[in-house]
Amino acid sequence: MGPVELLHMSVFSQSFSPCGRFLAAGNNYGEIAVFSLSAALSPDASQASQKPILNFTAHDGPVFSLLSTDTHLLSAGNGEISAWSWAELIKKSTKAAWTRKPSYETSLEIPEINAMIINPKDNSLIVGGGDNNIHIMDMETGIFKSVLKGHTDYIHCLCFKEREEEILSGGEDGAVRIWGHTEIPLSHFQTCSGMASQECARPQFGKWISCLATDSDWMLCGGGPSLSLWHLRSMSPTSVFPLPGCQREAVFYQDLIMSVGEGPHVSHCLHGGTVKAQIPCTPSSLNTLALNLKNTEHRVMTVGGSSHQIDVFTNFSYKAFSLSF
Amino acid sequence: MSIKFFRIVQCAFWRMGSVTDDEVIRKRLLIDGDGAGDDRRINVLMKSFTKWCHSNFSPEEGFSQYQRMLTSLAQCEFSMGKTLLVYDMNLKEMENYEAIYADIERSITSAHEKIAECKKEIQRAKRIRKNRQEYDALARVIKQHPDRHETLKQLEALDRELQQLSHIKENVEDKLELRKKQFHVLLTTIQELQQTLENDEKMESDDTQESSMENGD
């Protein structure tokens, strides 16, 4: 990988292994790199332990979304979803367990898949992408059960409310849709558009929603409009965060909200609407943030963006070191 | 001299059956303190005693030699007493250090426990802060809406207005009905009167026509 390619690399997605000791990251060249966290975090870590233990080309196009189940790593790029067994990846074998494509209406263009989430209750995979629809696939049989139609433009992000088993989806059309029990597609949904509320709207950036996160009753959404915290039962925005750029990913963590987006920093915000801290990091703009909460020893946060380096935070207040592709 | 003393000690240990004579010898050879002086003194004492016993001294010389031996014996006893005290002191120091060690161990474990407690406290405090912030956020939204009592009062006032207006409407409608009926009655009477008058006129004209026809006959 030459220096020019490294310069133009962007990391789009990350996922931690089920044991919490490995990190998989996908970039815009279609490669997935697996890093060993236990080697990088051990006291005698060296420059070599910050390189991936395995780097292989998974898709033709960029890897926009990575997701880990208990045994497999799912990666999605241009229209197809591949599954890799974590046990095989750790042993450095790069053979895919399976590759599937959702059924698209037109077979001419293959839309990209931007987001994937898992519904643990009925073991189904929910994907959303460029064809404005949400496809639901049963993990055991591999059959695409249903399609949720409703968005008028492509879908950026998906989120799952576990208590009520509802899917939230945000897209380029600026609408956040809530899908209920999907025995009948589109059984009931509500739309709350970020543009509708004047406090969040930022017309200079557009109305697209690129990040969604939910914490039972509360929802974070941001993108073109400012990042804002909504109370779902009353469908009203309660706080708007004064962050300058467009936020690409946000998560709830304990009593904080962490978000990344344009700008070389991770923002820590409080629910009240104040920005508590902005931690600087190496990429000039960030695309993805991942928290490793499964493993207490390697409890880290990793961020990746428009750089070939992925920053690792052991204490969430400062950057510890960087892994590089 | 010291080697002879060590051989004596070795014999003593052999009689006792101990196995660590090498250790003892090595240690004594290393500790080069008062040991050499004491050895020499004891040997000198033994030699002078045997010399004193076997030789023919004059009584004064014998006495002075005897005094010298007593002083040297007293010195040996003194040094032995000192060593015993030092040994006791070492034992007590060891006990002291053991006690301090145990103390430090206990404080380490209690510090560990306190750290765990504090971590739990932090988690609780974070949760509480999150709840307070959520509460504040919702309260801000709620405050934006008008007060419930006022809205209820407004609703009641509107209700009353509505009722009044419907009363008025009923009254007006009743009046309208009444007037309609009155006008109807009036018009029908007029029409009947017109009819009667027409009939009368017709009958009169019929009458005159009949009378003129009778006159013409």
Side-chain angles (χ1 to χ4, degrees):
Chain A
M1 178 127 310
V4 179
E5 275 122 5
L6 280 180
L7 200 62
H8 288 279
M9 191 183 295
S10 292
V11 172
F12 283 127
S13 50
Q14 301 174 82
S15 180
F16 287 100
S17 65
C19 56
R21 298 200 320 267
F22 297 91
L23 169 71
N27 69 2
N28 58 337
Y29 296 123
E31 298 174 345
I32 296 180
V34 179
F35 297 88
S36 163
L37 277 179
S38 32
L41 290 171
S42 69
D44 51 349
S46 63
Q47 199 62 8
S49 52
Q50 290 166 3
K51 287 271 168 199
I53 61 172
L54 175 63
N55 191 340
F56 63 99
T57 308
H59 292 273
D60 295 329
V63 178
F64 286 121
S65 167
L66 282 176
L67 180 68
S68 270
T69 62
D70 290 331
T71 50
H72 285 77
L73 172 71
L74 301 169
S75 66
N78 270 341
E80 56 178 29
I81 306 168
S82 303
W84 319 81
S85 157
W86 268 110
E88 298 286 316
L89 286 177
I90 294 172
K91 283 191 264 168
K92 311 213 182 168
S93 133
T94 61
K95 188 164 159 330
W98 47 260
T99 305
R100 297 207 184 104
K101 254 197 264 229
S103 42
Y104 296 119
E105 288 165 357
T106 67
S107 51
L108 289 170
E109 54 166 72
I110 305 175
E112 78 280 10
I113 293 180
N114 283 327
M116 291 197 289
I117 49 173
I118 282 235
N119 178 354
K121 297 233 175 85
D122 59 352
N123 203 15
S124 58
L125 177 71
I126 304 160
V127 303
D131 64 339
N132 311 352
N133 297 335
I134 300 174
H135 299 265
I136 302 181
M137 179 186 102
D138 185 47
M139 284 294 283
E140 289 171 9
T141 58
I143 304 174
F144 282 91
K145 296 191 292 198
S146 45
V147 177
L148 302 175
K149 293 189 210 245
H151 275 279
T152 52
D153 212 342
Y154 62 89
I155 295 171
H156 275 280
C157 49
L158 289 172
C159 191
F160 187 67
K161 268 209 310 183
E162 288 176 355
R163 219 171 39 182
E164 295 97 351
E165 284 191 48
E166 289 171 357
I167 302 169
L168 287 108
S169 60
E172 181 77 10
D173 54 355
V176 173
R177 285 183 186 239
I178 305 177
W179 309 86
H181 284 283
T182 51
E183 281 151 358
I184 315 158
L186 269 191
S187 58
H188 66 269
F189 69 89
Q190 303 164 42
T191 316
C192 69
S193 170
M195 270 296 281
S197 83
Q198 292 307 312
E199 305 105 64
C200 322
R202 289 190 297 198
Q204 71 268 29
F205 289 126
K207 52 183 183 166
W208 43 279
I209 305 279
S210 65
C211 66
L212 270 183
T214 182
D215 184 23
S216 61
D217 282 332
W218 300 83
M219 174 187 82
L220 276 177
C221 71
S226 324
L227 183 69
S228 48
L229 182 69
W230 292 67
H231 188 233
L232 281 174
R233 294 244 193 98
S234 55
M235 292 291 160
S236 54
T238 56
S239 345
V240 178
F241 297 99
L243 294 167
C246 300
Q247 302 304 306
R248 305 232 177 86
E249 189 145 349
V251 292
F252 284 96
Y253 175 67
Q254 290 181 349
D255 64 331
L256 288 180
I257 290 164
M258 310 222 219
S259 88
V260 293
E262 279 174 7
H265 43 250
V266 176
S267 311
H268 289 208
C269 313
L270 293 170
H271 284 247
T274 49
V275 178
K276 194 174 101 156
Q278 291 196 311
I279 321 290
C281 34
T282 40
S284 59
S285 118
L286 293 162
N287 286 332
T288 161
L289 175 143
L291 283 170
N292 189 11
L293 300 169
K294 291 178 209 157
N295 187 332
T296 46
E297 286 175 13
H298 308 311
R299 203 181 63 115
V300 298
M301 174 170 78
T302 53
V303 295
S306 356
S307 158
H308 64 97
Q309 290 186 315
I310 298 174
D311 283 347
V312 177
F313 295 68
T314 41
N315 174 335
F316 295 175
S317 306
Y318 57 85
K319 181 195 94 162
F321 57 91
S322 299
L323 301 165
S324 58
F325 255 82
Chain B
M1 301 275 188
S2 5
I3 309 288
K4 235 202 272 184
F5 183 75
F6 294 155
R7 291 291 165 223
I8 297 170
V9 172
Q10 203 173 28
C11 300
F13 269 134
W14 274 339
R15 260 180 257 130
M16 283 198 279
S18 158
V19 203
T20 55
D21 20 330
D22 280 340
E23 290 278 319
V24 178
I25 293 170
R26 213 177 293 138
K27 255 205 188 119
R28 288 287 292 197
L29 278 171
L30 284 171
I31 305 170
D32 205 39
D34 259 354
D38 276 340
D39 271 354
R40 217 177 326 120
R41 229 183 298 187
I42 290 177
N43 285 338
V44 163
L45 181 65
M46 298 289 287
K47 276 211 186 96
S48 50
F49 181 68
T50 44
K51 218 164 76 175
W52 185 73
C53 292
H54 289 309
S55 62
N56 312 327
F57 278 129
S58 55
E60 301 90 17
E61 267 188 42
F63 190 67
S64 64
Q65 192 73 356
Y66 169 72
Q67 291 291 347
R68 248 177 268 142
M69 280 200 296
L70 277 182
T71 44
S72 139
L73 187 67
Q75 275 174 343
C76 285
E77 277 179 356
F78 174 71
S79 100
M80 188 182 83
K82 205 163 69 169
T83 330
L84 274 176
L85 283 175
V86 167
Y87 173 71
D88 277 341
M89 177 196 83
N90 283 338
L91 282 178
K92 283 212 188 91
E93 275 293 305
M94 286 270 297
E95 276 175 25
N96 195 15
Y97 282 138
E98 293 276 325
I100 291 177
Y101 185 70
D103 213 14
I104 290 179
E105 284 272 327
R106 249 178 291 133
S107 51
I108 284 179
T109 40
S110 77
H112 272 302
E113 275 162 32
K114 264 194 220 131
I115 285 178
E117 270 294 315
C118 286
K119 277 198 180 146
K120 259 186 264 170
E121 271 295 311
I122 269 193
Q123 292 295 344
R124 250 195 51 196
K126 277 191 180 164
R127 237 199 336 241
I128 289 176
R129 178 160 75 163
K130 180 170 144 172
N131 287 343
R132 278 213 194 114
Q133 299 234 309
E134 286 178 1
Y135 172 84
D136 277 339
L138 272 178
R140 243 180 292 142
V141 173
I142 288 174
K143 267 189 106 63
Q144 286 171 358
H145 292 281
D147 197 12
R148 190 163 39 126
H149 292 291
E150 280 184 28
T151 332
L152 277 175
K153 267 189 247 163
Q154 277 180 3
L155 277 174
E156 270 173 39
L158 282 173
D159 258 339
R160 260 176 283 142
E161 232 185 278
L162 201 69
Q163 272 182 7
Q164 268 180 356
L165 289 172
S166 54
H167 267 299
I168 293 174
K169 181 170 145 192
E170 271 179 34
N171 287 347
V172 165
E173 270 179 6
D174 283 343
K175 231 196 246 181
L176 188 69
E177 279 292 323
L178 189 66
R179 294 286 176 271
K180 258 195 209 167
K181 280 189 202 145
Q182 285 174 338
F183 269 112
H184 185 72
V185 162
L186 182 67
L187 282 172
T188 31
T189 337
I190 288 178
Q191 251 190 348
E192 268 174 29
L193 186 62
Q194 242 181 2
Q195 280 280 350
T196 338
L197 284 175
E198 269 176 18
N199 281 349
D200 277 348
E201 267 187 37
K202 219 167 132 196
M203 265 182 10
E204 256 177 48
S205 67
D206 275 350
D207 270 350
T208 44
Q209 259 198 353
E210 265 183 30
S211 66
S212 69
M213 271 178 65
E214 269 179 24
N215 283 351
D217 273 356

